[in-house]
Amino acid sequence: MSCFGAPKRKNGSIPAPDYRALAKLTNFSKAELQEMFSKYEDIADTPEGSLTKSAFISIPELLCCPVAAMVYDKEIIEKDKEVMDFTQFCVIMDLFSKYASVEDKMKCT
């Protein structure tokens, strides 16, 4: 089992991200982003390596979070997308991190 509780199933078709660019975009370190990418590969549930809303809100760390679905809707659905890619995943997870400012967290509500 992966850290997110989904069965381990690496999706080798997902290209490795630009960790340096993501570190500038979020409050995560390169090492944290690499760990997140490994977990993301495990839970990506589309053939393209994207994440659907149901997979996102099924992440054990988000199951008890009443705003997880609302954040997904605001950040993905309202932007006329059906699924999220790894960059969007990082940006959304950054909102849930202890490093995000209250102002950034309020932007998504």
Side-chain angles (χ1 to χ4, degrees), residues 41-108:
E41 285 182 302
D42 294 342
I43 61 173
D45 61 337
T46 70
E48 300 81 29
S50 300
L51 199 60
T52 63
K53 181 179 180 178
S54 62
F56 177 74
I57 62 174
S58 297
I59 296 170
E61 291 85 350
L62 298 178
L63 280 173
C64 297
C65 181
V67 298
M70 292 185 327
V71 170
Y72 187 96
D73 289 344
K74 174 111 174 119
E75 297 297 317
I76 304 301
I77 303 296
E78 284 186 12
K79 294 178 180 169
D80 293 325
K81 303 212 184 251
E82 295 290 323
V83 295
M84 72 168 69
D85 62 20
F86 181 66
T87 299
Q88 294 161 329
F89 177 74
C90 291
V91 169
I92 289 175
M93 295 309 288
D94 191 44
L95 293 172
F96 290 103
S97 78
K98 64 182 179 183
Y99 307 114
S101 69
V102 172
E103 293 80 25
D104 287 342
K105 291 178 187 219
M106 294 303 292
K107 286 179 191 174
C108 70

Side-chain angles (χ1 to χ4, degrees), residues 25-45:
L25 186 63
T26 67
N27 292 297
F28 297 118
S29 69
K30 181 180 177 183
E32 289 170 320
L33 290 165
Q34 289 171 323
E35 183 178 338
M36 288 174 65
F37 183 68
S38 177
K39 293 173 184 178
Y40 179 87
E41 285 182 302
D42 294 342
I43 61 173
D45 61 337

